[in-house]
Amino acid sequence: MISSPIKINQQSIFIKVNNEELHLKRFFSDESAPPVLMIHGSIENGKIFYSSSGKGLAPYLAQNGFDVFVADLRGRGLSRPAINKSSTHGLTEILNEDFPAMVNKIKEIKGDVPQRWISHSWGGVMILAYLARNIESVKISSMVFFATKRRIAVFNLKKLWMINIMWNLIARITIALKGYLPAKEMKIGSDNESEKSQNETVKWVGSSDWIDWNDGYD
């Protein structure tokens, strides 16, 4: 006998942070299942983990016994307002304000139970930076990192084009003209990036030391 497919429920959760609204996309079949938080990287949004048709890693995990919360970081995806020339936030605000808000929302829904965290690319760097500061206490039972790198120290043609020319030079020129990085319009990413977040990312990618931009925390 072929068993019926598990029904996956989807829910959009919005969290007010100052004058911004953060979006968490929830996938679940069992509300008592252990929670998973998924964090995307730069010039991305939460849809790196799921498609409009309901495919991807997030719904797969929901089918296999997890309660999944996919973040749209500030200004990305369904978080509002979308990144534009007036956006003044960066990674600092994501780490100090948005991560704690998301952690507390999941605690509110699930209780203070261990969470599993999954990240793609720069999302993993932000997870580790957040946990290093212990801004909001959270129990973590496991972490998974896909293609995460904090510093790119090699030198080859791919790095020259993608980092030195595109990310460090062309992106900065475009930001000077537009006030933000229109990555979707430039077809170099699935979402846009604020001037401050791009600038803070450049500083971490290029430095051998991993130092907070604001207070020098190592």
Side-chain angles (χ1 to χ4, degrees), residues 52-71:
S52 299
S53 62
K55 297 179 180 179
L57 183 57
Y60 173 82
L61 291 174
Q63 283 185 319
N64 287 274
F66 295 96
D67 192 350
V68 184
F69 298 83
V70 183

Side-chain angles (χ1 to χ4, degrees), residues 42-45 75-77 83 181-184 189-193:
S42 296
I43 54 175
E44 288 179 356
N45 56 48
R76 285 83 162 179
I83 288 173
L181 180 61
K184 288 191 292 185
S190 56
D191 219 314
N192 301 326
E193 199 79 12

Side-chain angles (χ1 to χ4, degrees), residues 121-130 145 148-150 204 210:
S121 191
W122 195 252
V125 176
M126 288 189 282
I127 280 178
L128 293 174
Y130 176 76
F145 301 86
T148 289
K149 59 276 182 191
R150 199 276 297 176
W204 271 2
W210 195 2

Side-chain angles (χ1 to χ4, degrees), residues 39-46 48-49 71 73-74 76-77 83 90-91 94 119-126 146-150 152 162-163 167 171 181 183-184 188-205 213:
I39 304 290
H40 64 80
S42 296
I43 54 175
E44 288 179 356
N45 56 48
I48 193 77
F49 297 113
L73 296 179
R74 189 178 294 206
R76 285 83 162 179
I83 288 173
L91 305 186
I94 290 173
S119 63
H120 178 248
S121 191
W122 195 252
V125 176
M126 288 189 282
F146 292 102
T148 289
K149 59 276 182 191
R150 199 276 297 176
I152 302 175
M162 294 181 68
I163 303 299
W167 187 249
L181 180 61
K184 288 191 292 185
I188 60 171
S190 56
D191 219 314
N192 301 326
E193 199 79 12
S194 71
E195 178 180 12
K196 186 176 181 182
S197 62
Q198 196 272 347
N199 184 48
E200 289 177 332
T201 300
V202 166
K203 289 178 180 177
W204 271 2
V205 169
W213 322 272

Side-chain angles (χ1 to χ4, degrees), residues 13-15 17 20-24 72 74 79 98 101-102:
I13 300 167
F14 292 93
I15 311 166
V17 179
E20 306 276 340
E21 198 171 53
L22 305 178
H23 175 245
L24 282 176
D72 280 330
R74 189 178 294 206
S79 293
D98 299 357
M102 292 185 293

